[in-house]
Amino acid sequence: MKSVLRTIEKYNLIQPGEKIGIAVSGGRDSMALLHFLHELSKEQNFECIAITVDHSLRDASAQDAEFVVNYCNKNGIKVYMYKVNAEKLSADKGLSIEAAARECRFRIFKALLNKKLVNKIALGHHMQDQAETILLNIFRGSGIAGASGMDYVRDGVYIRPLLRTDRTEIMAYVNLNEIPYVKLNGDRTSRLAGSVNIS
């Protein structure tokens, strides 16, 4: 994924010696990012640390987190797994489930950063996510500021290496490297390697 490497270089997203936490749901985009950064780390002397969160929102969510842990163990990648109750936080604080899940994740990210277990957190947002964010912000009336979309670097610690990468490029990379991932289909979960079901 040449666009990812160009983005990392252009915005100085990763420096040698850094510990990069990678938010990994087990889905295609985050698994592609994990694989790419792990391979790149061998050349550029930084450490990849996967972070996976079981939000307790689906029957298969614990299995998805375990899938990430197993992949990391198999490939020599350090991984932190957390279990949270996003539904309870949603009820307690009057948040949407999506907002509560996001708050749970970012509490974990902040704790890891504060403890200096990681230096930065890599998020898997890609070009289509950026386009959707911009349109949503415009519809909400956020004006020019909203039209700029998500930042490549936020607060100096949250980085988005895939933000200039198209979904088709990600899919091609996953298929080429036979990267397993979790495909969500309603409440059913299957494990895929490219388009090949390996469950």
Side-chain angles (χ1 to χ4, degrees):
M1 295 191 289
K2 292 181 180 179
S3 61
V4 186
L5 187 57
R6 286 196 297 267
T7 299
I8 291 171
E9 292 173 347
K10 180 175 180 179
Y11 296 96
N12 296 312
L13 299 186
I14 299 172
Q15 302 299 323
E18 287 187 323
K19 293 179 286 188
I20 306 299
I22 306 166
V24 185
S25 65
R28 180 184 58 220
D29 302 334
S30 65
M31 290 299 292
L33 180 60
L34 177 63
H35 184 279
F36 182 86
L37 291 183
H38 179 55
E39 292 302 308
L40 186 64
S41 71
K42 300 172 186 176
E43 303 172 14
Q44 298 195 2
N45 190 33
F46 62 90
E47 182 181 2
C48 288
I49 300 171
I51 306 163
T52 188
V53 181
D54 172 6
H55 296 92
S56 306
L57 293 175
R58 296 178 297 103
D59 290 340
S61 62
Q63 190 178 3
D64 297 345
E66 193 63 33
F67 164 79
V68 174
V69 171
N70 289 338
Y71 175 87
C72 290
N73 289 339
K74 181 179 178 181
N75 289 278
I77 303 169
K78 184 184 291 187
V79 58
Y80 295 124
M81 181 177 72
Y82 297 89
K83 184 178 178 68
V84 298
N85 191 333
E87 192 169 10
K88 183 177 186 303
L89 183 65
S90 171
D92 290 347
K93 299 188 70 171
L95 300 171
S96 68
I97 288 293
E98 183 179 282
R102 183 181 185 279
E103 183 167 328
C104 287
R105 289 195 301 277
F106 275 84
R107 284 181 181 181
I108 291 167
F109 298 159
K110 287 176 183 176
L112 290 170
L113 289 163
N114 289 338
K115 292 177 181 177
K116 302 191 184 306
L117 294 173
V118 298
N119 301 116
K120 292 174 182 172
I121 304 286
L123 306 172
H125 300 115
H126 52 67
M127 190 180 289
Q128 277 73 23
D129 294 325
Q130 178 74 303
E132 290 169 9
T133 297
I134 291 171
L135 286 174
L136 183 60
N137 286 342
I138 290 172
F139 290 146
R140 286 174 173 168
S142 59
I144 298 299
S148 63
M150 293 180 282
D151 296 324
Y152 292 94
V153 184
R154 183 165 66 83
D155 301 331
V157 292
Y158 296 102
I159 62 175
R160 295 183 171 97
L162 294 180
L163 209 51
R164 296 177 67 184
T165 304
D166 186 87
R167 183 180 289 123
T168 56
E169 187 178 355
I170 295 171
M171 291 176 65
Y173 181 81
V174 165
N175 290 335
L176 177 65
N177 292 281
E178 298 186 326
I179 301 169
Y181 64 91
V182 173
K183 182 178 181 182
L184 303 179
N185 181 15
D187 288 330
R188 294 188 304 142
T189 306
S190 60
R191 274 82 192 149
L192 307 180
S195 59
V196 180
N197 195 329
I198 60 170
S199 58

